[in-house]
C-alpha cells in the first residue's frame, strides 16, 4: 500500500480517533486536528502522529491551523484531507464570527480550511473526504439567503442543512478541480456510538447518551473503518469523485437538491463571502 500524508480533522474522538489508529497501523503520515488539547494529544501519542488543535467555532483558529499545516507539509503536499469535524447543537447560537454554530462548525470552517490548503492539495493531487450524514436527506433544505436559519430554526434542520452543504461542497470541488487532479467524496459513516449530539438538546441526545445507543448505533471502530476505506482507497477506482455514499455504498437515496448545480455554485459563492475569501 502506498503511504500517504493525511490531514484528519475531528480526530480527538469518535470515528476520527478510530480511523487515526487504523491509518497509523498502515504507516501513513498523519496530521491530526482536534478541539481538545488533552484528547488530541492522547490520540497523537497512540499513533505517532503530528497534531494541532483548533476550535472550528472560531474562524481565526481555522486560518492559523491552515498556516501551520501548510508549514508542516512543506513542498510535499497533502494526499488526503478528511473533513471529519462536526456536530449537532442545541439552541440557535452565534459564533464569535457571527454565524450559526452548526453551520460554521460543520460547513464554513471546513470550507475555509480546504480553500486555504488548495496549494498543498493541488501539489498532492489530493482527495478531499467530507463526512456528511443521512440527515442531509432527512432534514436538509438550504436557503442560500438564510444559511443561518434565522427565519425558522430547529437544531435538526440546521444540522441537515450543514450536512447537505457538505455534499454540495463535494460536488463543487469535483466540478472546479477534478480536471486538475483533485477528487472529492462525501459519505454517511453510519449512526455511530460517539459523543456526537452530547451538546445538543434534540431527541438525538437521548439516543446517544442512554443504553439505547447499544441497540441502535454501530461502534466507532466500524464507522472509523469506513473513513479509513475512503482515505486509503484509490479515487475514481475505489470510489467515484463528486458523489455521496451511504457508508461504502453509492446510493440513490439522496436529497434531490444535491443535483442542483446552480445551488451548489450559489452556496460556494455565499460561503466564500461569509468566510472572507475570493469565490
Amino acid at each position: 500500500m502506498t503511504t500517504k500524508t493525511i490531514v484528519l480533522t475531528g480526530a480527538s474522538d469518535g470515528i476520527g480517533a478510530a480511523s487515526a489508529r487504523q491509518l497509523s497501523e498502515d504507516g501513513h503520515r498523519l496530521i491530526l486536528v482536534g478541539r481538545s488539547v488533552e484528547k488530541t494529544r492522547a490520540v497523537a501519542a497512540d499513533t505517532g502522529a503530528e497534531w494541532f488543535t483548533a476550535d472550528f467555532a472560531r474562524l481565526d483558529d481555522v486560518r492559523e491551523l491552515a498556516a501551520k499545516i501548510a508549514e508542516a507539509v512543506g513542498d510535499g503536499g497533502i494526499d488526503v484531507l478528511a473533513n471529519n469535524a462536526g456536530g449537532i447543537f442545541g439552541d440557535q447560537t452565534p459564533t464569535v464570527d457571527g454565524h450559526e454554530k452548526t453551520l460554521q462548525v460543520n460547513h464554513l470552517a471546513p470550507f475555509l480550511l480546504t480553500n486555504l490548503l488548495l496549494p498543498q492539495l493541488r501539489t498532492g493531487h489530493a482527495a478531499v473526504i467530507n463526512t456528511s450524514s443521512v440527515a442531509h436527506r432527512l432534514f436538509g433544505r438550504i436557503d442560500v439567503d438564510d444559511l443561518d436559519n434565522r427565519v425558522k430554526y430547529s437544531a435538526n434542520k440546521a444540522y441537515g442543512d450543514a450536512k447537505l452543504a457538505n455534499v454540495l461542497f463535494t460536488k463543487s470541488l469535483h466540478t472546479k478541480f477534478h480536471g486538475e487532479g483533485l477528487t472529492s467524496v462525501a459519505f454517511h459513516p453510519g449512526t455511530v456510538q460517539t459523543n456526537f449530539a452530547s451538546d445538543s438538546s434534540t431527541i438525538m441526545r437521548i439516543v446517544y447518551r442512554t443504553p439505547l445507543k447499544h441497540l441502535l448505533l454501530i461502534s466507532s471502530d466500524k464507522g472509523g473503518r469506513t473513513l479509513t476505506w475512503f482515505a486509503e482507497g484509490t479515487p475514481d477506482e475505489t470510489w467515484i469523485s463528486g458523489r455521496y455514499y451511504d457508508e461504502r455504498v453509492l446510493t440513490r437515496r439522496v436529497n434531490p437538491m444535491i443535483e442542483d448545480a446552480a445551488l451548489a455554485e450559489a452556496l460556494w459563492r455565499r460561503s466564500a463571502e461569509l468566510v472572507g475569501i475570493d469565490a
Side-chain angles (χ1 to χ4, degrees), residues 9-29:
T9 73
S12 63
D13 205 348
I15 71 169
S19 180
R21 293 185 175 97
Q22 294 155 13
L23 291 166
S24 70
E25 294 174 357
D26 292 329
H28 301 289
R29 179 191 179 187

Side-chain angles (χ1 to χ4, degrees), residues 84-100:
N84 176 65
I88 185 171
F89 307 104
D91 296 335
Q92 193 170 17
T93 304
T95 67
V96 295
D97 304 287
H99 310 302
E100 192 274 318

Side-chain angles (χ1 to χ4, degrees), residues 97-113:
D97 304 287
H99 310 302
E100 192 274 318
K101 186 176 181 181
T102 307
L103 173 75
Q104 179 164 322
V105 170
N106 289 276
H107 169 61
L108 292 178
F111 175 88
L112 176 60
L113 180 64

